[in-house]
Structures are given as structure tokens and as C-alpha cells.
Amino acid sequence: YGLHRYRDLLYCARQFSAEEISQRAEFQALWNLRQPLLLPGGDRLLALASDADAIGSMPDIYLHVRFRSNGARLRPAGRGLAKSLKTLLQENAVPPFRRDRLPLIKLASQSRDEISVAEMASTEIDAVAGVAMSQRLIDALGPYQLRFEEVS
């Protein structure tokens, strides 16, 4: 653990080993929402029904999950323009030491077998876990929500 100061607050946060940092940089997964997605370092992503009527009606979609990359952009729901990942994280007061820990999520446009390398490498994303989500992803998820759980 280490101490960090950000916007006049003091944080105690877990320090990652070089191996964990490397695992995050290389991590890519295609997730169908049916099971929690275990991320490097023990964090996980879950899809949760927003009400009891939605249980059992899981959307048939795949999400491509990776970690921070240069040039990533997101058009948050309710906002007209796409924002760079850096700007979005700063506007939402995400401390710099947490930014590399947040998964980036992209709605896959095709079935699992047909995902292209170009699509996976695209800089346009649909969500930053726990920060912002595009209207396109909100519509695709329907009555489900994504939840990012961090391990301390």
C-alpha cells in the first residue's frame, strides 16, 4: 500500500507489482455477462438486473474488456460530444493512481466468433467501469447494469 494525495485529500491505495501492471496492459477479454468477469489483481465486473422482473432476461451481447490505452474516447450518455478518456477521468475526479485500474468496455458489434482485431483495437469505447457509459451500451444492456468491484 502507498499514500497518495489528490485534490487536497490523502488516499491509502494498493500498490501493484510490475507483474500485475504487465498483466493489466496485456489483458483483453470478450465477456457475455453471464458470469462475473475476473480481472487481473482480483477485481471483477458483474451484470446485475435492475429489478426482479429482469432476472432471466439477460441481453445476448458481448462486451470487449481491456484496460487503459492511448487515444481512447467515449461519448457519455446525455452529452453530445465524445470526450478523451483523460478528460473524462479528470472531470469525474478519478485520482491518477486509480485510472489504470478501471476497465474500458466496448460493445461488440458481432457474435463472438466474428469479432475482428480492428474492432478490439478501436479507440472508441462505450464505458469506463464506474465512471461513464454511452447511450448505445445503456440501450443494449436494457434492464441490466454493470458493476465494477475493486479488491482493496
Side-chain angles (χ1 to χ4, degrees):
Y1 288 86
L3 292 177
H4 303 273
R5 193 181 86 184
Y6 179 67
R7 294 190 177 182
D8 296 324
L9 295 173
L10 192 60
Y11 296 85
C12 179
R14 182 173 170 228
Q15 302 284 74
F16 292 99
S17 69
E19 182 180 336
E20 288 174 312
I21 292 169
S22 176
Q23 286 175 346
R24 282 185 187 275
E26 296 171 8
F27 180 84
Q28 289 192 46
L30 206 52
W31 180 42
N32 69 0
L33 312 180
R34 306 241 183 276
Q35 299 291 324
L37 178 63
L38 188 60
L39 302 168
D43 299 340
R44 64 186 192 155
L45 274 174
L46 301 99
L48 302 173
S50 56
D51 59 55
D53 294 335
I55 295 173
S57 64
M58 176 87 54
D60 188 25
I61 61 173
Y62 285 92
L63 301 180
H64 176 244
V65 181
R66 67 177 196 256
F67 286 91
R68 201 159 165 200
S69 62
N70 292 332
R73 299 184 65 76
L74 169 67
R75 184 183 316 268
R79 298 173 79 178
L81 300 174
K83 298 264 185 179
S84 73
L85 179 59
K86 178 180 178 179
T87 300
L88 197 60
L89 294 174
Q90 289 172 345
E91 286 179 353
N92 284 278
V94 176
F97 56 88
R98 283 195 64 232
R99 294 175 189 174
D100 288 335
R101 191 171 184 172
L102 299 174
L104 307 182
I105 300 163
K106 180 175 179 60
L107 180 61
S109 62
Q110 302 171 358
S111 74
R112 179 181 183 146
D113 297 333
E114 299 172 4
I115 303 280
S116 71
V117 172
E119 183 179 17
M120 290 178 130
S122 169
T123 59
E124 187 75 23
I125 59 173
D126 288 299
V128 179
V131 177
M133 195 177 298
S134 71
Q135 189 62 51
R136 181 174 96 116
L137 183 55
I138 292 170
D139 293 343
L141 289 170
Y144 279 77
Q145 299 174 350
L146 298 182
R147 181 168 164 186
F148 174 53
E149 293 182 346
E150 294 180 77
V151 174
S152 302

